[in-house]
Structure formats: C-alpha cells, structure tokens
Amino acid sequence: MISKMLPFLCFLLHIFYVPECQGGCAEVDSMTEAPVGQTFLLGCISCKRREEVEATTTVDWYFRPLGEEEYGHILHYDFPTATITSDHFKYRLEWFAPVKTSDTLVASLYLHNVTFNDTGTYRCTFDRILHLPVGDESFRITKYIEFTVLPKAKREKTAVIGEIMMYVLIVGLQLWLIVVLIYCYRKVSAEREAYEARQALKALKKQQADLKDNCDGINLE
C-alpha cells in the first residue's frame, strides 16, 4: 500500500518545494483501490492559474456508498480546521495538506482502517474566492473518485512480470550451470584418459627398452 502512495507523495513534494517561478503545481489523479484494513490516501488537488492572486478556499468532501443515489457530507475544511461530519468516518479520516494555508491547493484525506462499506464515490469540492482589485470572484471546482475496496492487495502487473522473469532467470542459470558442469566433467575425464594413455605408452616404451638392453647383454658363443 505504501508503495502505491509513494508516487503521489513524491509529486506533492515536488509541487511545494520547487521555486515559485517554475509554477510547480500540477493536478494528479487519486488512486482508486485499496485492500481492506489498510490506510489509503484519497488525493484531491486543485491548482490556481495565477499564483500571485490572493484567495480564500474552503473544501468539502462527500461520499455516496455503492448502490445509493445520495451523497452524504463527511468533512468540511475551513482554515485551519478540518471537521469530520459523518459518524461512519469519525476517527478514521485525517486531513492531509503539505502546506497549511487559507488558500489550500491540496485537500487530500487519509482514510484509516478501510472497510468494504467505504466502497463508493467520493466527491471533493473546492470553493475558492479570488480577491481581485476589482472585487472578489468566487467559483467552485469538483472532483470525483470512484473507490473500490479489495479483499487483499492487488499485485501490480510489473511486479508479477518481474517475479516471473526472476524465476525464468533462476531456472536458466541452473540449466546453464548443469551444462557447464557436464562440459567440465567430460573435459576433465578426457584429459585424464589422455594422461593415463600417455603414462601407459611411456611404461610400454620403458619395458621395451629394458628388454632390448637385456637382450643386447646376452653373449651368444
């Protein structure tokens, strides 16, 4: 679960620690699946087109359970306080924003101890008031997250492929090692047989030489 959240968290760090002149904010979609019993990050980001314009933002989160039509209000954020308004999510929601400000760009939530009853649609709403020289201007941004709770963590395709490749590599190395051992055994056996043949030939030649010397030493009268 932590590995799934790392790309999102790293991107958030990039958003808020790059120089302002680079305009680092970018809207990243939230993850949509989590295993039961885990902690999950419901991601919600809304960037401003003009960073120099002062603004005030409030955020509301809503939840519609699977198979139902009505949304229920679950959290309201008005700097600096996030208030949980749903008994179902009481003590399980945690406000997450890297930078706490009255004009928040990140309105993400940690959902602790995920249950199957948390499956459904989540709605994140930004109500932003821009403080312009000619007067205030308000507008609303809404984002939706279709969330599914899994009986257990779903393995990433890359992880499955990586594991298969690992087993293929292990089997391949073992087969290669067997082939090398057979080759080395045959080569050593051949060299030993050749050595024994040379030794036998030397012994035969020595015997023949000794026999010849003995024959030459016999005087026939």
Side-chain angles (χ1 to χ4, degrees), residues 37-92:
Q38 298 292 321
T39 294
F40 181 73
L41 181 64
L42 292 162
C44 186
I45 301 175
S46 173
C47 300
K48 285 195 314 184
R49 293 186 178 180
R50 299 183 61 182
E51 294 293 333
E52 69 275 10
V53 177
E54 293 186 2
T56 302
T57 302
T58 59
V59 178
D60 288 281
W61 276 87
Y62 302 86
F63 171 61
R64 185 183 67 187
L66 185 66
E68 297 189 12
E69 298 182 357
E70 299 293 330
Y71 281 91
H73 190 221
I74 63 175
L75 182 140
H76 175 73
Y77 174 78
D78 191 350
F79 178 77
T81 303
T83 304
I84 300 173
T85 58
S86 169
D87 292 337
H88 175 71
F89 292 99
K90 201 166 187 178
Y91 308 116
R92 294 199 301 127

Side-chain angles (χ1 to χ4, degrees), residues 29 36 50-51 54 57 69 85 95 99 105-106 116 126-127 130 145 172 181 184 218 221:
D29 292 336
V36 65
R50 299 183 61 182
E51 294 293 333
E54 293 186 2
T57 302
E69 298 182 357
T85 58
W95 177 259
V99 179
L105 305 181
V106 178
F116 289 109
F126 289 82
D127 287 302
L130 298 178
I145 303 170
L181 289 175
C184 292
I218 298 176
E221 295 180 356

Side-chain angles (χ1 to χ4, degrees), residues 181-194:
L181 289 175
I182 294 174
Y183 170 78
C184 292
Y185 174 77
R186 289 183 175 179
K187 186 174 182 180
V188 170
S189 297
E191 289 180 355
R192 184 173 184 82
E193 290 176 359

Side-chain angles (χ1 to χ4, degrees), residues 4-218:
K4 288 186 175 182
M5 290 162 51
L6 279 177
F8 187 83
L9 295 176
C10 291
F11 201 86
L12 291 178
L13 290 175
H14 170 75
I15 290 173
F16 292 100
Y17 288 96
V18 296
E20 291 184 2
C21 61
Q22 295 181 2
C25 181
E27 298 182 8
V28 182
D29 292 336
S30 173
M31 297 293 184
T32 59
E33 295 179 342
V36 65
Q38 298 292 321
T39 294
F40 181 73
L41 181 64
L42 292 162
C44 186
I45 301 175
S46 173
C47 300
K48 285 195 314 184
R49 293 186 178 180
R50 299 183 61 182
E51 294 293 333
E52 69 275 10
V53 177
E54 293 186 2
T56 302
T57 302
T58 59
V59 178
D60 288 281
W61 276 87
Y62 302 86
F63 171 61
R64 185 183 67 187
L66 185 66
E68 297 189 12
E69 298 182 357
E70 299 293 330
Y71 281 91
H73 190 221
I74 63 175
L75 182 140
H76 175 73
Y77 174 78
D78 191 350
F79 178 77
T81 303
T83 304
I84 300 173
T85 58
S86 169
D87 292 337
H88 175 71
F89 292 99
K90 201 166 187 178
Y91 308 116
R92 294 199 301 127
L93 287 181
E94 180 183 352
W95 177 259
F96 172 77
V99 179
K100 294 183 178 181
T101 173
S102 60
D103 181 22
T104 185
L105 305 181
V106 178
S108 301
L109 299 178
Y110 279 119
L111 176 56
H112 299 289
N113 191 24
V114 172
T115 69
F116 289 109
N117 291 330
D118 297 331
T119 298
T121 305
Y122 291 81
R123 188 175 73 196
C124 172
T125 301
F126 289 82
D127 287 302
R128 181 168 289 144
I129 300 175
L130 298 178
H131 304 301
L132 303 172
V134 296
D136 292 346
E137 180 180 344
S138 62
F139 61 96
R140 172 173 291 184
I141 297 174
T142 302
K143 296 178 178 290
Y144 295 89
I145 303 170
E146 298 291 340
F147 181 60
T148 302
V149 179
L150 306 174
K152 60 181 180 179
K154 180 186 289 186
R155 301 180 65 189
E156 296 290 341
K157 184 182 293 184
T158 53
V160 175
I161 294 175
E163 186 172 340
I164 293 174
M165 293 302 297
M166 180 186 68
Y167 286 121
V168 170
L169 182 61
I170 291 174
V171 173
L173 288 174
Q174 289 178 341
L175 293 175
W176 177 81
L177 181 60
I178 292 172
V179 171
V180 171
L181 289 175
I182 294 174
Y183 170 78
C184 292
Y185 174 77
R186 289 183 175 179
K187 186 174 182 180
V188 170
S189 297
E191 289 180 355
R192 184 173 184 82
E193 290 176 359
Y195 173 77
E196 291 177 351
R198 289 194 299 270
Q199 291 300 107
L201 183 60
K202 286 182 181 180
L204 180 61
K205 288 182 178 179
K206 187 176 184 302
Q207 273 186 345
Q208 290 176 348
D210 291 342
L211 182 60
K212 182 180 180 182
D213 291 341
N214 293 333
C215 290
D216 291 341
I218 298 176

